[in-house]
Amino acid sequence: MSLLIALKMFTTGRIIFASLFVVAFVILMVISYKKDAKNNKKHYQNAALYVAIGLAVTIGLLFLSKLLIN
């Protein structure tokens, strides 16, 4: 049913444009990531570790607050 609605809503030209846009966007994002990978290693050492620790602490605080409220 939803496929039928989507077919009425999007013309062939719109589908082609959206497909090309997504492909171009992904290609440009990969190229940009490869360019920045060198700088990221130098400037953001252990950043993923800090983000993971912050996320774990935040989730832990949420569970703790839920336990204390109930």
Side-chain angles (χ1 to χ4, degrees):
M1 176 91 176
S2 62
L3 181 61
L4 185 61
I5 294 171
L7 288 175
K8 287 182 181 179
M9 211 162 93
F10 297 114
T11 62
T12 306
R14 286 181 180 176
I15 293 171
I16 292 171
F17 173 77
S19 302
L20 291 175
F21 181 84
V22 168
V23 169
F25 183 79
V26 169
I27 289 171
L28 289 173
M29 289 299 289
V30 168
I31 291 170
S32 178
Y33 175 78
K34 286 184 178 183
K35 277 184 170 180
D36 288 342
K38 296 172 191 169
N39 290 334
N40 288 343
K41 287 180 184 174
K42 185 170 91 174
H43 294 293
Y44 299 109
Q45 290 179 343
N46 299 326
L49 179 64
Y50 295 139
V51 170
I53 291 171
L55 185 63
V57 168
T58 302
I59 291 172
L61 288 173
L62 286 170
F63 279 119
L64 182 66
S65 67
K66 184 175 180 176
L67 281 173
L68 293 175
I69 290 174
N70 290 336

